[in-house]
Amino acid sequence: MKITVTAETPVDEKLAATVTIPAADVDKAIAKTYKDIAKKYNFQGFRRGHAPRPVIDGIIGREAVLAQATNDLLNAAEPMMLEELDVTPVGRVSFGPEGADPELAAQGADYVVTATIGVRPTAELESYDAPEINLPPMEATEAEIDWQINQLLTYQVTYEDVEEDREVVEGDIVSVDIENVEGAGHLAGKNRMLALNGQQVAPELQAGIIGMKKGETKEISWTHSHEHEGETHSHTFTVKVTLNAIKKAVTPELDDEIAKKYGYDDVAAFREAVKEEIEGDKKTTIPSLKEDRVVEAIGKQLKLETVPEAYQNEIFNELASEFLSQLQRQNISLDMFLRARGLKSDDFIADLHVQAEERARQSLALDAVAAKLGLEATEDDIRAEFERAGVEDVDAGIKEWRDQGRLPAIRDSIRRTKALDWLVENAKVNTVDEVAERAKAEAEAADGEKDAE
């Protein structure tokens, strides 16, 4: 089948296109529909597959036949139209007048129908220049080595009693005995170490422990509610808590003995090994980090106040599908993931919407750069894309995607990749020891808090 497509300039993220299907193809579609119906049903007095058109019209109805033929024509024409226009639709393509079904095809006449295609908005950028970004150096800095070693030393941390006779405050680590009174058997235990950091225990339990002093015993109760399968369930917990001690974490100083625990002769050898590990890791992470920061920076140049809801929802669905696929590969359900991280489903969905808007803005920004630079996706580019994906029969793969009207999405991806490559190649990079700067900022903040006290 061959079609003719003419399109107008998009308005409000809607592209109107007129599709014309030649009369010969219309007649073939109608003939095929009659043949399919004749084979599918038994018509009295006729062998299966041999019922004439007047009989089928009288029983099935000519309008029903033409409706099926029209539907088949539109299903065949849609991917051809998308390929002809090189457009990736946002949402479903609709045919015919808005809110109404398309007219039916007629025997012996060209079929002309209007299609409405949701498209991405065309946006401008404040600047099309490659952005200026900060990146850590390829070589490991002393601050990075120190940070990595401090992380390793946390495995050697010991906990000592705080000698000061004082009340428990938020952020303390405490040793407690917990006796179950009601519904809290999972919390019971002797000399339990709890970090009162707002993450380890229920807020009500933490609030009850704060203010206690060594040797004090206190009964604490609270109610927890959660939804399951649309129903709200409440559980009451009561525990008796005895405060044994307030603890402080003591991280050992790095010396040769500690280095030996990690398999090195001395501190110098330990530091050199950590340095090599950091630099090896940077060889793979910094190129990706550069791309991420370039995309983030160019996304901020987008002159678009609000991303259209339809496009944002499309990206949201893509992100959700990607995430659920990752969980499935790890044999983890979404419910298990949320429980393990203490997340509420509403908060998770809200965060996913934020990510979707950010990705949508970045994609539109890359589209704008590609258009400004006149970047195109050639047939060789498409073949290379299928080859990189490991498709065995590239020609068959390309044909399948073309027949399904999905090649425009591949071209979009190629153009964006070319735009990103240009931005990365031309970006101005400032080398910054970010770990040292972060440590400095944290020290200054701590000094500020001390001065405030």
Side-chain angles (χ1 to χ4, degrees), residues 101-299:
D101 293 331
E103 292 185 5
L104 299 182
Q107 184 80 33
D110 291 349
Y111 182 56
V112 181
V113 64
T114 299
T116 303
I117 309 165
V119 294
R120 301 187 302 275
T122 300
E124 298 289 331
L125 301 185
E126 297 287 351
S127 170
Y128 290 87
D129 295 334
E132 181 175 344
I133 62 171
N134 295 337
L135 283 178
M138 290 299 294
E139 302 78 20
T141 67
E142 291 300 308
E144 291 171 336
I145 296 171
D146 289 341
W147 184 87
Q148 184 66 36
I149 288 175
N150 287 336
Q151 292 298 109
L152 292 170
L153 289 178
T154 58
Y155 295 105
Q156 306 294 329
V157 164
T158 57
Y159 295 90
E160 299 178 357
D161 289 357
V162 173
E163 297 301 329
E164 179 185 359
D165 183 22
R166 63 171 177 82
E167 294 181 347
V168 173
V169 297
E170 184 176 356
D172 275 342
I173 299 169
V174 296
S175 171
V176 294
D177 293 342
I178 299 180
E179 179 184 341
N180 173 37
V181 176
E182 179 185 354
H186 61 291
L187 295 175
K190 294 285 187 179
N191 294 314
R192 291 203 57 182
M193 294 276 285
L194 302 179
L196 305 182
N197 55 10
Q199 299 177 3
Q200 186 176 354
V201 298
E204 298 85 353
L205 178 57
Q206 175 170 311
I209 295 173
I210 290 173
M212 293 180 67
K213 298 187 73 171
K214 184 178 179 180
E216 181 181 349
T217 298
K218 184 178 183 181
E219 192 169 280
I220 303 169
S221 297
W222 69 97
T223 300
H224 174 67
S225 299
H226 70 280
E227 288 192 4
H228 180 66
E229 296 182 350
E231 296 183 1
T232 301
H233 302 267
S234 297
H235 299 279
T236 299
F237 304 96
T238 302
V239 295
K240 188 178 291 184
V241 178
T242 300
L243 181 66
N244 299 324
I246 302 173
K247 298 283 189 176
K248 62 180 178 181
V250 179
T251 303
E253 291 290 331
L254 178 61
D255 56 22
D256 290 347
E257 288 304 312
I258 294 292
K260 285 183 172 64
K261 289 184 178 181
Y262 287 94
Y264 301 98
D265 293 337
D266 51 32
V267 171
F270 186 26
R271 290 185 67 85
E272 182 61 28
V274 171
K275 176 177 181 293
E276 291 178 1
E277 181 181 348
I278 292 172
E279 291 179 347
D281 185 54
K282 283 186 172 187
K283 288 180 181 178
T284 57
T285 59
I286 286 186
S288 297
L289 181 62
K290 184 177 183 181
E291 287 190 1
D292 290 343
R293 292 189 176 178
V294 164
V295 170
E296 182 181 356
I298 203 65

Side-chain angles (χ1 to χ4, degrees), residues 301-438:
Q301 298 295 322
L302 190 70
K303 293 166 64 176
L304 186 67
E305 187 172 337
T306 305
V307 176
E309 184 178 0
Y311 183 49
Q312 190 175 152
N313 287 340
E314 190 115 326
I315 300 298
F316 174 86
N317 291 335
E318 288 178 9
L319 285 175
S321 179
E322 289 173 9
F323 184 76
L324 292 175
S325 294
Q326 290 176 5
L327 292 183
Q328 190 175 27
R329 287 194 292 271
Q330 300 171 36
N331 293 319
I332 299 174
S333 69
L334 178 59
D335 191 48
M336 290 167 58
F337 171 84
L338 296 177
R339 284 204 308 269
R341 285 158 179 76
L343 296 173
K344 296 180 179 178
S345 59
D346 289 347
D347 293 338
F348 172 76
I349 291 172
D351 181 63
L352 207 59
H353 274 294
V354 171
Q355 292 181 46
E357 182 177 10
E358 184 178 8
R359 180 182 284 193
R361 298 186 74 86
Q362 291 168 357
S363 296
L364 294 173
L366 291 175
D367 287 342
V369 173
K372 186 74 171 179
L373 297 176
L375 302 175
E376 292 296 340
T378 67
E379 290 301 312
D380 287 342
D381 292 331
I382 293 172
R383 291 190 66 83
E385 196 74 15
F386 277 81
E387 288 168 358
R388 275 193 293 273
V391 176
E392 290 186 11
D393 190 335
V394 172
D395 290 327
I398 292 174
K399 183 181 184 305
E400 180 182 353
W401 279 62
R402 194 187 305 277
D403 291 346
Q404 295 173 353
R406 297 167 64 194
L407 277 188
I410 297 290
R411 295 191 188 96
D412 285 340
S413 176
I414 291 170
R415 285 189 285 264
R416 287 173 183 164
T417 299
K418 287 185 175 183
L420 177 56
D421 290 344
W422 182 86
L423 291 167
V424 168
E425 183 178 350
N426 291 280
K428 180 182 178 182
V429 177
N430 302 314
T431 301
V432 177
D433 187 346
E434 296 174 346
V435 173
E437 287 198 348
R438 187 164 59 245

